Amino acid sequence: MMVNTGTTVFCADIGGSFIKFGISRRQGEVDELAKVATPTDSWNDFVAALQQLLADHQQEQPEDTPLAISTAGLVSPQSGEVMASNIPGFAGHNMAAELTHLLARKVSIANDADCFALAEAHVGEGQGLPIVVGLILGTGVGGGIIINGQLLRGHGGVTGEWGHGAITRTELLLDNRLIQLPRLLCGCGKTGCLDMYGGARGIERLHQQLHQQKADSHQIIQEWQDDEPQAAQTLQAWLLLVSEPLALLINIIGPSKVVVGGGLASVTPLITALDQQVRTATLHSYPQPLIVPGRFVDHGGLVGASVLGRLR
Ligand SMILES: [Zn+2]
């Protein structure tokens, strides 16, 4: 892998609410230094916020210390534009190129799922493996793909976004009851996306569809672990809906490991159940667990950015 492990790198993790800012002096380690509100509507205010963070923490570091950024949204490798629905101020800007000029240092950028995948492939559960999929099971579904240590940046920046394809089935047989599931209109504009059923909000939608009950995903998962019958059906449906597209992704990519981040990754029994279900559906037979919780479920953005900033 082409990695410059010695360089000090400033790191930023940009979400719709906050910018987390840190410094990495060694590969895999980030000291978080500050957390400020994200200026979402104004590009100039966003640049000023980064300038202030760098000025506050530059101290003894060289003036050209690189900045690596993990961001919400998709990063187009063609235009450099970051398309983040919750940060409209980014629209129309070639972010890495403009920031490199404005901040007078090398600035590299990747989306947060891609940064999580980089973190896991370099210093986490996929360390040293040739093909690693970083899978996000959070409020929705996302992912990134790392091949021989390098982030796969495909057309439009959508590589790894396996959640925005149609679900493989709309009929489920659960405990001898045939369930019809609607193909729902997704936030991306398409109809039928797995994203609508695949994450924590998806578990809640499924529960509503199957049992006409509103419940929080944490509560449903807890009831599933307690063998409550309705929650058991909901999670059975969720495992079926998620495992088939995931097996397809695995057949196409051939990962050595699929490392999970996002809120659902911390529910170990759920990831274990998903792993077992998926391994019955993949073409290759994986004798060991393939889908595992990540090491950087909570701070993959900053750690991944630190890895990104060292890639050559
Ligand atoms: Zn979609």
Side-chain angles (χ1 to χ4, degrees):
M1 291 180 201
M2 298 295 284
V3 176
N4 186 356
T5 53
T7 318
T8 294
V9 180
F10 284 118
C11 310
D13 181 7
I14 297 163
S17 303
F18 296 102
I19 300 173
K20 286 190 250 175
F21 184 81
I23 189 168
S24 172
R25 295 182 176 86
R26 290 176 47 159
Q27 177 78 307
E29 294 177 10
V30 179
D31 294 324
E32 196 172 327
L33 300 170
K35 185 177 174 182
V36 299
T38 307
T40 53
D41 295 326
S42 158
W43 170 254
N44 290 339
D45 289 352
F46 169 72
V47 173
L50 288 181
Q51 283 169 329
Q52 189 63 51
L53 285 165
L54 289 165
D56 289 348
H57 300 283
Q58 191 75 44
Q59 294 158 359
E60 78 276 18
Q61 301 304 326
E63 283 184 9
D64 62 349
T65 300
L67 172 66
I69 295 176
S70 163
T71 181
L74 299 174
V75 183
S76 167
Q78 284 75 40
S79 67
E81 192 176 357
V82 177
M83 288 148 287
S85 58
N86 52 356
I87 314 178
F90 286 175
H93 292 277
N94 184 333
M95 198 152 145
E98 290 183 40
L99 289 179
T100 293
H101 174 66
L102 293 165
L103 304 177
R105 68 192 70 222
K106 182 188 166 207
V107 177
S108 45
I109 296 176
N111 116 321
D112 43 16
D114 287 344
C115 282
F116 169 75
L118 275 171
E120 294 296 341
H122 281 260
V123 288
E125 297 299 326
Q127 190 171 1
L129 298 174
I131 302 182
V132 176
V133 171
L135 201 74
I136 303 298
L137 295 175
T139 52
V141 171
I145 297 167
I146 311 298
I147 298 179
N148 295 328
Q150 293 290 336
L151 172 63
L152 193 59
R153 292 188 191 255
H155 198 86
V158 299
T159 301
E161 291 297 328
W162 67 294
H164 295 282
I167 50 176
T168 49
R169 53 167 96 193
T170 54
E171 279 189 348
L172 298 177
L173 190 62
L174 299 174
D175 300 332
N176 294 320
R177 177 182 160 210
L178 190 66
I179 310 286
Q180 300 278 350
L181 285 174
R183 291 183 188 272
L184 300 171
L185 178 63
C186 180
C188 75
K190 300 190 184 307
T191 298
C193 289
L194 172 69
D195 194 69
M196 296 305 288
Y197 288 120
R201 292 294 87 75
I203 290 175
E204 293 164 5
R205 280 190 198 99
L206 271 175
H207 202 68
Q208 173 83 32
Q209 292 284 344
L210 297 180
H211 311 298
Q212 291 73 51
Q213 280 178 18
K214 277 198 188 307
D216 175 71
S217 62
H218 295 101
Q219 184 192 336
I220 299 166
I221 290 168
Q222 185 57 55
E223 289 175 359
W224 168 66
Q225 291 180 271
D226 296 339
D227 293 326
E228 194 278 323
Q230 291 191 329
Q233 276 197 347
T234 300
L235 268 298
Q236 194 188 343
W238 184 83
L239 287 167
L240 281 168
L241 286 175
V242 173
S243 63
E244 289 183 346
L246 193 46
L248 183 61
L249 176 79
I250 288 163
N251 285 347
I252 292 167
I253 301 293
S256 312
K257 215 57 139 181
V258 177
V259 187
V260 187
L264 295 178
S266 56
V267 189
T268 307
L270 188 68
I271 304 307
T272 302
L274 181 63
D275 173 60
Q276 288 168 351
Q277 182 96 21
V278 168
R279 282 194 287 141
T280 66
T282 52
L283 184 59
H284 177 69
S285 139
Y286 289 84
Q288 305 291 333
L290 171 65
I291 303 170
V292 298
R295 194 175 298 172
F296 303 106
V297 171
D298 298 324
H299 47 303
L302 280 180
V303 176
S306 81
V307 172
L308 177 72
R310 289 187 169 89
L311 288 177
R312 288 179 184 167

